[in-house]
Amino acid sequence: MPQLFARIDTIFLTVSNLERSTDWYVKHLGFQVRWQMEEAGYTALDIGSGETPLTLARAAKGVEVRTSGHCVFNLFAADLQRAHESLTAGGVDVDPIQRDENVEWFEFRDPDGHILGVCHFDS
């Protein structure tokens, strides 16, 4: 069967307050706004050198944002310790660094309580 898909085009994350979340992802994670459709309730953020953006989607009125009990996505950091220190210094609720064989990681939460992860491993 031929391959149907070339890549993940975007990752959607529902947020309760689009402006607050956009500001938080830019300030704390260093993401850059690719485009915004404020009236429609979307902001696409460039994560860095990757091609797949994170698209924040404003929750519909009266709809509560639900979080998962597990990590929504992982970010890769060349310097995990530096990433941990930077987020901690910025006032982000950051868990301790964990180590398991050839991977190190930690988790933290965005303003809506979504669990996000950061990992590092030698390839």
Side-chain angles (χ1 to χ4, degrees):
M1 178 173 167
Q3 186 172 344
L4 297 175
F5 309 105
R7 68 179 187 277
I8 294 175
D9 183 62
T10 193
I11 297 170
F12 288 94
L13 189 63
T14 304
V15 298
S16 59
N17 183 312
L18 186 62
E19 183 178 347
R20 175 188 70 180
S21 291
T22 299
D23 291 346
W24 188 89
Y25 278 84
V26 168
K27 176 182 177 184
H28 293 290
L29 304 185
F31 293 2
Q32 295 181 346
V33 174
R34 179 183 283 194
W35 54 260
Q36 289 183 296
M37 294 172 47
E38 181 64 35
E39 192 171 310
Y42 296 100
T43 300
L45 301 168
D46 280 328
I47 297 172
S49 62
E51 64 182 36
T52 304
L54 171 64
T55 300
L56 303 176
R58 182 178 54 231
K61 289 186 181 190
V63 175
E64 184 179 332
V65 172
R66 295 180 185 222
T67 59
S68 173
H70 60 84
C71 186
V72 178
F73 59 83
N74 263 349
L75 301 163
F76 180 84
D79 186 339
L80 190 80
Q81 186 66 39
R82 190 178 120 221
H84 191 272
E85 290 170 0
S86 177
L87 291 171
T88 301
V92 176
D93 179 21
V94 181
D95 293 344
I97 294 175
Q98 304 291 313
R99 290 170 180 80
D100 185 16
E101 294 184 26
N102 65 341
V103 66
E104 295 180 301
W105 76 94
F106 65 88
E107 294 179 341
F108 62 101
R109 283 133 198 88
D110 78 355
D112 282 300
H114 295 293
I115 300 170
L116 310 176
V118 180
C119 68
H120 175 83
F121 51 89
D122 295 323
S123 47

